[in-house]
């Protein structure tokens, strides 16, 4: 049978929140809470990852929404279902950036090492998927951690990225359990985006 | 896993890939100056090709307890008691399939749209058409075992938007879809058969192949209508398909 073609992507537009995080944009009473509002991370293991997404003119992209997915602290990707109950770690978060400042904030745990190709182990990383007005197809990137220098140096995916651009994927540690990374859609220091 | 993956590999895929590569010529390019917002929001450097590891092949699994019984009924899910949304009542239904034509079960389908006057319920929205106090504009459902889904809603209105001097969006419904793997994640839009604004729309025109555009046009489906109640539109959606069945991130033969 002839293969079907994947449905073509279209931009999520500026009002993506209505569909994906309605409570965030003031549509209350339809869903009890916004999907992916919490990863389920709690306690002393929790880390916070913040940053801003910028366009090619250096303006914050204030209407964008980011989905994060990752392993748990031990590197497992077989995680709890995303359902009505919260509190268990799902590895999934949906984060609309602040509509005024453009900053995102993700509370999660530091991921463990996930298997890579050929029996390798990958450095701890969070997968991110970015949609916004003007983004015609969701942008896929990863966030690594600056305090994992040895693991980063051996990472099979980072090694596919030209050396000069790897820093665009690495979050700085700004305090205990706090990391920061800015994402640049275009321009100097453009973030590396993937095709997988 | 590696051995099975090698067996499954074909000429169109990178070694080790479970999903054939995305056809980036079928999708819109990131940069399309006809759609003004894409100019500064499009990466200029080439995407870096990476292998499909557990990080790309995993994805959130959604529990059925997530879905409330009115979640797929936009006519009433925001309405005041005894009221319903204003507009042409329609059913939007179809199947979520993969590229091999298999139904995708338990796929979370989320939709959002403007009201019958073309106005969105959003803090940043300023179009002069009024809000409908009984219409929120969001809905969601999980597909059945054969990939089928169904929404009750109202037909959204077209609306003008700041792009060129006089650009109008055709009536459309936004669709967000999760398959079983992160690599299948997709957001797109559904249009309505016969809408003369479709070929004029700069966002539609980011898609270059007319056959690809047709894939986003829902067809009037008289067999699916509810007589004396709602017209129906049929809209099938295709997600990337794994060459082998994905089961708990392991390949189960071919």
């Amino acid at each position: 049978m002839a293969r079907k073609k994947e449905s073509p992507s279209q931009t999520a537009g500026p009002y993506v929140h209505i569909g994906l995080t309605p409570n965030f944009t003031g549509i209350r009473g339809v869903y009890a809470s916004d999907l992916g509002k919490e990863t389920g991370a709690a306690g002393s293991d929790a880390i916070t990852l913040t940053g801003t997404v910028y366009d090619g003119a250096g303006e914050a992209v204030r209407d964008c929404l980011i989905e994060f997915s990752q392993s748990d602290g031990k590197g497992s990707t077989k995680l709890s279902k995303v359902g009505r109950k919260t509190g268990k770690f799902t590895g999934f978060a949906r984060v609309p950036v602040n509509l005024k400042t453009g900053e995102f904030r993700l509370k999660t745990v530091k991921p463990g090492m996930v298997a890579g190709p050929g029996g390798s182990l990958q450095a701890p990383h969070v997968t991110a998927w970015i949609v916004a007005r003007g983004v015609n197809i969701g942008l896929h990137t990863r966030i690594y951690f600056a305090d994992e220098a040895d693991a980063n140096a051996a990472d099979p995916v980072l090694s596919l990225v030209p050396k000069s651009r790897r820093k665009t994927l690495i979050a700085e540690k700004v305090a205990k359990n706090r990391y920061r990374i800015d994402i640049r859609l275009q321009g100097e220091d453009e973030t590396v985006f993937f095709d997988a | 896993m590696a051995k099975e993956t090698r067996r499954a590999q074909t000429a169109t895929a990178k070694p080790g890939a479970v999903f054939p590569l995305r056809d980036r010529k079928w999708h819109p390019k990131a940069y399309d100056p006809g759609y003004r917002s894409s100019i500064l929001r499009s990466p200029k450097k080439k995407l870096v090709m990476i292998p499909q590891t557990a990080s790309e092949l995993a994805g959130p699994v959604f529990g059925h307890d997530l879905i409330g019984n009115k979640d797929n009924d936009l006519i009433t899910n925001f309405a005041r008691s005894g009221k319903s949304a204003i507009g042409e009542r329609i059913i939007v239904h179809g199947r979520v399939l993969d590229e091999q034509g298999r139904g995708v079960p338990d796929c979370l389908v989320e939709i959002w749209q403007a009201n019958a006057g073309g106005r969105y319920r959003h803090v940043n929205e300023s179009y002069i058409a009024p809000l409908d106090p009984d219409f929120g504009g969001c809905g969601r459902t999980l597909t059945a075992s054969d990939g089928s889904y169904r929404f009750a809603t109202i037909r959204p209105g077209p609306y003008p938007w700041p792009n060129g001097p006089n650009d109008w969006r055709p009536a459309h419904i936004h669709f967000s879809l999760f398959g079983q793997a992160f690599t299948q994640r997709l957001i797109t839009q559904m249009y309505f058969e016969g809408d003369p604004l479709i070929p004029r729309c700069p966002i539609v025109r980011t898609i270059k192949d007319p056959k690809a555009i047709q894939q986003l046009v829902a067809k009037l489906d008289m067999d699916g209508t509810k007589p004396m109640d709602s017209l129906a539109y049929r809209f099938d959606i295709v997600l990337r398909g794994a060459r082998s069945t994905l089961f708990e991130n392991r390949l189960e033969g071919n």
Side-chain angles (χ1 to χ4, degrees), chain A residues 1 3-12 14-20 22 25 27-31 35 55-57 61-63 67 69 77-78 81-85 92 94 99 114-117 122 125 127-129 131-137 139-140 142 157 160-161 165 185-187 190 192-196, chain B residues 20 22-24 26-30 35 37-45 47-56 58 60-63 65-66 77-78 97 99-100 108 110 112 120-123 125 136-140 174 176 178 182 185-189 191 203-204 206-207 212 215-216 237-238 240 248-249:
Chain A
M1 192 182 81
R3 275 165 51 88
K4 291 183 177 292
K5 297 294 286 185
E6 185 186 11
S7 297
S9 171
Q10 291 272 264
T11 180
Y15 308 132
V16 60
H17 314 99
I18 296 172
L20 304 194
T25 192
I27 299 173
R28 303 201 185 273
V30 183
Y31 309 149
L35 182 78
D55 71 10
V61 179
R62 293 179 178 86
D63 53 67
E67 285 181 355
S69 91
T77 52
K78 291 173 195 163
K81 279 190 179 177
V82 179
R84 200 157 282 193
K85 285 187 198 136
F92 172 72
R94 185 177 258 177
L99 292 172
V114 173
Q122 304 184 64
H125 63 272
T127 294
W129 192 71
V131 294
R133 165 175 67 84
V135 173
N136 286 325
I137 181 164
L139 297 168
H140 168 196
R142 282 182 173 197
V157 168
L160 299 171
V161 175
R165 301 190 64 203
L185 301 185
Q186 193 187 90
E190 180 179 305
V192 171
F193 297 103
F194 295 124
D195 197 2
Chain B
R22 235 175 194 149
D23 181 351
R24 296 272 170 184
W26 187 254
H27 288 284
K29 286 200 173 64
Y35 175 25
S37 292
S38 77
I39 294 173
L40 286 171
R41 295 180 166 195
S42 44
K44 291 280 190 251
K45 300 198 161 72
L47 300 177
V48 173
M49 199 76 76
I50 64 168
Q52 294 164 7
T53 75
S55 295
E56 288 71 37
V61 180
F62 300 100
D65 69 332
L66 189 69
N77 71 13
F78 187 79
L97 305 166
E99 291 164 301
Q100 282 76 15
L108 180 67
E110 295 163 290
W112 69 100
Y120 284 97
R121 186 174 286 278
H122 192 282
V123 59
E125 158 75 301
C138 59
R140 65 183 176 183
H174 295 266
S176 162
F178 286 86
F182 171 82
R185 187 83 178 87
L186 181 72
I187 283 182
T188 188
Q189 300 181 27
Y191 303 99
I203 289 178
V204 173
T206 61
I207 303 171
Q215 212 177 342
L216 299 184
I237 303 144
V238 181
R240 294 174 75 182
E248 292 192 345
N249 304 330

Side-chain angles (χ1 to χ4, degrees), chain B residues 16-17 86 192 199 209:
Chain B
I86 292 169
F192 290 84
D209 188 326

Side-chain angles (χ1 to χ4, degrees), chain B residues 174-219:
Chain B
H174 295 266
F175 272 72
S176 162
L177 302 117
F178 286 86
Q180 273 114 26
F182 171 82
T183 47
Q184 294 174 291
R185 187 83 178 87
L186 181 72
I187 283 182
T188 188
Q189 300 181 27
M190 181 200 104
Y191 303 99
F192 290 84
E193 181 178 21
D195 187 339
L197 292 172
I198 294 172
R200 292 178 167 87
C201 173
I203 289 178
V204 173
R205 289 163 74 147
T206 61
I207 303 171
K208 300 307 173 193
D209 188 326
K211 292 199 294 290
I213 293 173
Q214 273 312 305
Q215 212 177 342
L216 299 184
V217 180
K219 303 287 186 292

